[in-house]
Amino acid sequence: MTRLLVAGVGNIFLGDDSFGPEVIRALDRHPLPPEVPVRDYGIRGMDLAYTLLDGWTVAVLVDAAARGLPPGTLSLIEPELPAGAPAAPPEAHGMDPAKVLALAAHLGDEPLPRVLVLACEPGRLPRGDEDIAPGLSEPVRAAVGQAVRALHVLVPALLADPRATPALARPEESAGPAAAGLPHPAATGAEDR
């Protein structure tokens, strides 16, 4: 039986970095199948690292990730899982998914689950002199609903076959062979992300 976890990550006080937690909140109104736990980890990297060791088949992380695409663009990324050398622990007030995966790989005796990241290109992150920048930019706010719809396609496909990577749409939004683009609603104006 496939054990699948959906986890939102990000800091709610850092502008578009709160994309993951906002998607998790939106899933309260549009729930995934009951056998799929949906959790907001925020900036609790250590908690997520230990959770990844609980025998999951697949974990889908929902996060903001700057990849050089237009703000609000969704991408599905399958990162390479770390092997070998231990990594520095996650920061107490930050969430770096790469560090979390490296820590989980170092702590566990069993292989990590397959990890996919449903990533949104941020439009607004705080500058170095800002401590707090609450709220999502307009393109990222619009992407929250798109991410919920994408998860409703992705999760059933992964439950049926945890090795699947559904070709949902828009391959030009992929970052190479380890990523697959996600659907966007039909264009209603001059801009079609």
Side-chain angles (χ1 to χ4, degrees):
M1 181 177 150
T2 300
R3 294 189 65 225
L4 193 153
L5 170 71
V6 174
V9 298
N11 190 325
I12 61 171
F13 297 112
L14 296 182
D16 287 343
D17 193 51
S18 65
F19 174 75
E22 288 295 329
V23 170
I24 299 306
R25 264 187 18 183
L27 285 169
D28 287 342
R29 295 182 302 278
H30 306 282
L32 292 170
E35 68 270 21
V36 177
V38 175
R39 299 180 184 152
D40 176 10
Y41 283 87
I43 59 170
R44 298 184 330 269
M46 192 71 78
D47 289 348
L48 178 57
Y50 279 106
T51 299
L52 290 172
L53 301 175
D54 286 343
W56 303 100
T57 312
V58 182
V60 178
L61 308 183
V62 183
D63 193 14
R67 302 178 60 228
L69 300 168
T73 300
L74 296 178
S75 299
L76 184 63
I77 305 163
E78 185 166 9
E80 287 188 31
L81 294 179
E91 299 164 11
H93 299 291
M95 169 67 88
D96 179 342
K99 287 183 180 179
V100 170
L101 293 174
L103 177 63
H106 176 68
L107 292 173
D109 294 330
E110 300 296 320
L112 291 179
R114 180 181 187 205
V115 176
L116 297 171
V117 180
L118 177 57
C120 180
E121 183 73 32
R124 182 172 56 99
L125 294 173
R127 296 183 309 270
D129 59 341
E130 292 179 317
D131 287 336
I132 296 177
L136 297 174
S137 64
E138 255 335 287
V140 174
R141 183 177 314 287
V144 169
Q146 295 169 8
V148 168
R149 288 188 294 277
L151 285 166
H152 278 275
V153 172
L154 183 63
V155 164
L158 289 169
L159 287 173
D161 180 0
R163 296 165 307 205
T165 303
L168 298 173
R170 303 297 298 258
E172 68 273 15
E173 294 170 1
S174 300
L182 293 172
H184 294 278
T188 55
E191 182 180 347
D192 179 17
R193 281 184 252 118

